[in-house]
Amino acid sequence: MIVATFGGQLVWPTEEFAGMAVLLRSVVLLLFTLAMVVLMNQRSARLLGEQQRLAQEMRAGAEMQELLLPAG
C-alpha cells in the first residue's frame, strides 16, 4: 500500500481504502450498537430495582394503613 500526502492530507489508493473504510464503518457501528445495548441494559436494571423498591414501599404503607385505620 502506498501512502502519499497531497495538500497536508493523506491519500490512499482508492480500492484498498474503500474496502477498509467500509470495514471500519461496520466495526464502529457494531461498537456503537454494543455500547447502546449495555447502557440500555444498565438503565433497565436500575429502573426495575426502583420499581421493586417502590412496590415494597407501597405494600408497607398499605400494611400500616390496615393497622392504624379501623376496618369497615
Side-chain angles (χ1 to χ4, degrees):
M1 176 164 87
I2 299 173
V3 178
T5 60
F6 180 74
Q9 295 180 351
L10 291 176
V11 178
W12 285 275
T14 306
E15 293 176 14
E16 290 181 26
F17 181 69
M20 290 179 67
V22 170
L23 178 62
L24 181 61
R25 188 177 302 130
S26 298
V27 169
V28 168
L29 182 59
L30 180 64
L31 290 174
F32 174 76
T33 303
L34 180 61
M36 292 304 295
V37 167
V38 168
L39 290 173
M40 290 175 69
N41 188 34
Q42 289 175 343
R43 182 175 182 176
S44 177
R46 188 175 63 242
L47 289 174
L48 180 61
E50 182 69 12
Q51 287 175 339
Q52 290 172 344
R53 184 186 67 78
L54 290 173
Q56 176 61 32
E57 286 185 18
M58 292 294 286
R59 284 191 296 272
E63 289 175 13
M64 289 299 292
Q65 211 171 20
E66 288 177 11
L67 291 172
L68 294 174
L69 297 176

